[in-house]
């Protein structure tokens, strides 16, 4: 078991990288947890700090102040000096100063002080403009001041509702965590497994192993055994995190499929890492390849960009990514789709794994044959 | 009579159109330090790889410890140690872990292995570096680690494939001394190199290879006796006339006189007082000259005389 033991000795040296990727995964899960909301709308009106100085003291000026007070924090009592107003605006203690000039009821004259190029200032300007237009239109149309005010208030309360597409879904946060699994599993397997295999496949070291009294078969069995144990270990660590962080209360009968789907993904990741390892990729080249493959598969396969946002051409490409089938299976598991459809997706994933495994074996044999001929 | 450890008969190895080994024959006896000497590309490493079953070959037989050598001949492999031309260690393991790993491929018993690894560390004087990773070692130390990994399990037959390439003179001497010590402790050594000085220094028997053929075989004295040249006299900063060259060439035992206008080279075959005769002639003729020295033939002379070319590139 010397080869097997050394397999893990070398793998242990990759622990910092593994922890880094587990950290990224945990970070993503926490981020997704924090951004998940239960309310439907994402956009709220922001209350600003206004100072209103009423120099008209008319019924109309009182209505304007009442309207603004319904939206913002309005201070009508303070008697600020001009320098004070400048200071408070500068230090953002107040956002806007509105002067309702004398004869406002007749001329509609308003003046203001705000920070230059302030978006908040424009926002309040716009609200006042809309209020003024509505009030004038309605009073000209024959409504009394009270009626016009009531109608203006009603019109301004009609908010534009913005709803994000996935808010329609009611999937639990564990769904998001499982959606990110391909990225983490692919990267971890590339960084842990590939360097170990590359070390064993090193041309000169292979020669040393081949002249030792260990048969090729025994050596290969020990390496494959090491790969399997390591893959299972990483899979268990991943599942343990999911269990500890999210629990399994919300998944009920979905658990066997979640296990099956994530297992298929780890086999895919291990097979791909096997190819890289057999090609003896190490160091910077491995970094580049791992990032290209990991990110490309995740972007194109619907891990980072949801499948429903993809164009038809993108979707055609996505079908050739094992990650796409993983994500589809995950969606089907959580939307309670037909078992056969879930198994079909997992089956396609396993086919990908088989192809990668075969490529890995062919690469390994070719490399060995090249050094033997 | 010592037992035959390695026997190669009629070995042929082709790399596509290139004939790497051309009906090669060789027999190595127990306790020998056998040198495979030849220029780069002469087939030394190919021979070694064929003996070790690392390469398939087209024709011939290879026997190790009296049995046909195949990848499955584990009994023979148990008693073989290999020090590769290129350093073959795991960058991810420390010096100790590397030696322990490679020793562990042969020695299962943990206690015995610990003892062997300790002895190997002492042997290559890497004890103080045992916790270092290979990347932290200098070229010379790395070579020593490479040797330790190949010999820790105390093999009876050890292959050294150019172990001193790119090594400083101090480390080179240590490596050569180590090889002789291993031999003294009972190991049979097969040493490949294109450094004739090293082969002359440590090998009891030498095979000179060129173009995949064994062109000469014997002890260094036997090899040197194969050629005409027994002494080369060199005289620097001398300008001789054609008549002088003719007269020098006519001296007893002198068979070749060459001059490039700066240096005069006189080759002799046999005789005891060749240098005195040459110096007497120069003195009589009152020819001014610089440094004068006489050299015994080297393996390079053997190679040069047999193949008509230098054993090693001039810059090597």
């Amino acid at each position: 078991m010397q080869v097997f033991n050394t397999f893990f000795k070398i793998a242990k040296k990759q622990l910092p990288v593994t922890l880094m990727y587990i950290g990224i995964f945990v970070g993503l899960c926490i981020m997704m947890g924090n951004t998940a909301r239960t309310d439907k709308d994402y956009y709220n009106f922001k209350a600003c700090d206004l100072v209103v100085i009423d120099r008209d003291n008319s019924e109309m000026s009182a209505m304007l102040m009442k309207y603004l007070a319904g939206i913002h924090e309005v201070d009508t009592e303070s008697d600020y000096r001009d320098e004070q107003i400048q200071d408070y605006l500068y230090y953002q203690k107040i956002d806007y100063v509105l002067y309702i000039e004398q004869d406002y009821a007749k001329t509609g004259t308003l003046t203001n002080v705000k920070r230059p190029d302030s978006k908040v200032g424009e926002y309040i300007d716009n609200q006042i403009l809309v209020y003024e237009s509505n009030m004038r239109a309605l009073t000209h149309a024959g409504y009394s001041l009270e009626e016009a005010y009531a109608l203006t208030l009603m019109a301004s309360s009609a908010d534009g509702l913005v709803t994000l597409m996935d808010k329609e879904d009611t999937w639990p946060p564990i769904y998001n965590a499982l959606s990110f699994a391909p990225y983490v599993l692919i990267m971890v397997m590339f960084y842990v497994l590939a360097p170990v295999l590359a070390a064993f496949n090193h041309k000169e070291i292979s020669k040393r192993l081949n002249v030792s009294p260990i048969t090729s078969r025994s050596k290969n069995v020990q390496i494959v055994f090491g790969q399997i144990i390591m893959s299972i270990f990483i899979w268990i660590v991943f599942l343990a995190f999911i269990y500890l962080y999210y629990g399994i209360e919300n998944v009920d009968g979905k658990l066997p499929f979640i296990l099956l789907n994530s297992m298929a993904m780890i086999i895919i990741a291990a097979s791909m890492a096997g190819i890289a390892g057999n090609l003896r990729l190490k160091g910077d080249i491995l970094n580049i390849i791992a990032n290209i493959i990991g990110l490309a598969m995740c972007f194109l396969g619907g891990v980072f960009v949801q499948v429903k946002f993809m164009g038809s051409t993108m979707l055609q490409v996505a079908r050739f990514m094992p990650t796409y089938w993983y994500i589809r299976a995950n969606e089907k598991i959580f939307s309670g789709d037909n078992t056969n459809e879930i198994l079909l997706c997992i089956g396609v994933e396993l086919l990908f794994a088989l192809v990668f495994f075969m490529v890995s074996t062919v690469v390994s044999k070719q490399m060995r044959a090249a050094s033997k001929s | 009579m010592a037992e035959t450890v390695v026997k190669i008969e009629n070995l042929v190895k082709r790399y596509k159109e290139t004939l790497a080994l051309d009906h090669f024959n060789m027999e190595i006896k127990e306790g020998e330090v056998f040198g495979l000497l030849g220029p780069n590309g002469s087939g030394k490493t190919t021979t070694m790889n064929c003996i070790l079953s690392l390469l398939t070959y087209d024709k011939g037989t290879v026997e190790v410890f009296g049995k046909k050598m195949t990848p499955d001949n584990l009994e023979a492999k148990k008693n073989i140690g290999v020090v590769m031309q290129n350093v073959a260690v795991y960058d991810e393991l420390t010096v100790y872990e590397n030696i322990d790993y490679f020793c562990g491929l042969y020695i299962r018993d943990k206690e015995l292995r610990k003892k062997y690894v300790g002895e190997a560390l002492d042997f290559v004087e890497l004890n103080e570096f045992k916790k270092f990773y290979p990347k932290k070692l200098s070229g010379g130390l790395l070579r020593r680690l490479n040797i330790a990994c190949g010999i820790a399990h105390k093999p009876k037959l050890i292959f050294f494939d150019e172990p001193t390439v790119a090594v400083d003179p101090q480390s080179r001497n240590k490596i050569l001394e180590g090889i002789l010590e291993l031999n003294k402790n009972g190991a049979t050594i097969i040493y490949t190199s294109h450094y004739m000085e090293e082969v002359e220094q440590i090998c009891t028997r030498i095979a000179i290879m060129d173009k995949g053929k064994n062109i000469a075989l014997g002890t260094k004295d036997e090899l040197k006796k194969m050629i005409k040249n027994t002494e080369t006299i060199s005289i620097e900063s001398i300008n001789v006339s054609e008549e002088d060259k003719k007269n020098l060439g006519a001296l007893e035992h002198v068979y070749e006189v060459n001059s490039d206008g700066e240096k005069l080279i006189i080759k002799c075959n046999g005789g005891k007082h060749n240098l005195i005769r040459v110096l007497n002639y120069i003195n009589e003729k009152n020819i001014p000259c610089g440094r004068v020295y006489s050299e015994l033939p080297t393996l390079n002379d053997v190679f040069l005389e047999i193949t008509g070319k230098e054993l090693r590139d001039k810059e090597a």
Side-chain angles (χ1 to χ4, degrees), chain A residues 1-14 195-216 218-219 222-223 282-283 368-373, chain B residues 13-15 45 49 52-56 71-72 74-75 77-78 80 82-94 97 100-108 113 133 145-150:
Chain A
M1 296 299 274
Q2 187 72 357
V3 176
F4 180 77
N5 292 338
T6 305
F7 187 98
F8 283 97
K9 255 187 202 167
I10 298 172
K12 217 165 71 179
K13 314 279 175 182
Q14 315 299 327
V196 184
L197 292 175
F200 279 102
N201 288 318
H202 184 283
K203 200 177 168 189
E204 299 300 322
I205 291 174
S206 279
K207 273 189 187 176
R208 267 230 161 103
L209 284 172
N210 291 339
V211 297
S212 72
I214 287 186
T215 59
S216 293
S218 166
K219 183 193 87 176
Q222 288 184 58
I223 290 174
K282 273 178 106 178
R368 255 181 287 153
S371 60
K372 268 229 151 194
S373 60
Chain B
K13 169 69 187 171
R14 278 193 175 84
Y15 293 109
T45 303
N49 286 339
L52 293 168
S53 273
L54 289 172
L55 278 177
T56 53
D72 301 325
L74 303 187
E75 273 311 305
K77 283 182 171 182
K78 275 181 192 169
I80 293 175
V82 183
V83 177
M84 304 285 179
Q85 186 173 358
N86 297 318
V87 175
V89 295
Y90 290 104
D91 290 337
E92 296 83 355
L93 302 181
T94 62
E97 287 170 336
D100 181 62
Y101 168 72
F102 288 111
C103 186
L105 297 172
Y106 301 81
I107 310 289
R108 297 274 169 89
R113 192 162 81 222
Y133 284 94
L145 170 62
N146 197 36
I147 292 172
C149 291

Side-chain angles (χ1 to χ4, degrees), chain A residues 287-307:
Chain A
N287 270 338
I288 294 166
I289 301 285
N291 276 299
I292 289 173
I293 291 177
L295 290 173
M297 281 202 168
C298 291
F299 271 111
L300 295 173
V303 175
F304 295 145
V305 180
Q306 289 190 24
V307 172

Side-chain angles (χ1 to χ4, degrees), chain A residues 133-371:
Chain A
S133 309
N134 285 344
M135 284 295 282
R136 283 188 200 290
L138 290 164
T139 48
H140 279 134
Y143 287 96
S144 69
L145 269 179
E146 286 77 19
E147 286 169 336
Y149 180 75
L151 287 167
T152 303
L153 214 57
M154 202 189 293
S156 66
S157 68
D159 300 331
L161 185 68
V162 178
T163 309
L164 292 189
M165 287 182 78
D166 65 356
K167 289 291 109 186
E168 296 155 12
D169 308 326
T170 52
W171 292 336
I174 191 174
Y175 168 80
N176 286 327
L178 289 167
S179 296
F180 285 120
Y183 178 66
V184 180
L185 296 179
I186 289 171
M187 297 309 276
V188 168
M189 292 309 271
F190 260 96
Y191 281 111
V192 179
L193 192 57
V196 184
L197 292 175
F200 279 102
N201 288 318
H202 184 283
K203 200 177 168 189
E204 299 300 322
I205 291 174
S206 279
K207 273 189 187 176
R208 267 230 161 103
L209 284 172
N210 291 339
V211 297
S212 72
I214 287 186
T215 59
S216 293
R217 190 184 143 80
S218 166
K219 183 193 87 176
N220 292 337
V221 166
Q222 288 184 58
I223 290 174
V224 170
F225 194 45
Q227 274 177 270
I228 293 169
I229 298 287
M230 183 186 282
S231 305
I232 291 173
F233 174 74
I234 290 169
W235 184 50
I236 288 172
V237 169
F238 167 74
L239 291 174
F241 166 74
I242 296 279
Y243 173 71
L244 292 172
Y245 195 73
Y246 296 101
I248 50 166
E249 294 81 19
N250 295 326
V251 293
D252 301 328
K254 302 177 182 91
L255 190 61
F257 295 115
I258 291 174
L259 293 178
L260 207 58
N261 198 25
S262 56
M263 192 185 75
M265 193 63 231
I266 196 111
I267 297 173
I268 291 167
S271 307
M272 287 197 301
I275 299 174
N278 287 330
L279 283 169
R280 299 167 189 161
L281 301 181
K282 273 178 106 178
D284 289 342
I285 295 174
L286 178 68
N287 270 338
I288 294 166
I289 301 285
N291 276 299
I292 289 173
I293 291 177
L295 290 173
M297 281 202 168
C298 291
F299 271 111
L300 295 173
V303 175
F304 295 145
V305 180
Q306 289 190 24
V307 172
K308 59 188 159 196
F309 296 121
M310 289 180 176
S312 56
T313 316
M314 253 312 240
L315 270 177
Q316 292 296 328
V317 178
R319 282 174 211 281
F320 293 98
M321 301 285 152
T323 42
Y324 168 80
W325 297 97
Y326 171 87
I327 292 290
R328 271 196 73 173
N330 203 27
E331 279 177 5
K332 286 180 186 300
I333 291 166
F334 279 89
S335 54
D337 276 8
N338 189 310
T339 306
N340 287 341
E341 285 186 32
I342 299 170
L343 290 176
L344 180 73
C345 293
I346 295 173
V348 176
E349 284 178 62
L350 291 172
L351 277 177
F352 270 105
L354 183 68
V355 170
F356 290 139
F357 179 75
M358 283 164 68
V359 172
S360 171
T361 311
V362 170
V363 168
S364 171
K365 280 194 175 169
Q366 286 293 324
M367 297 295 259
R368 255 181 287 153
S371 60

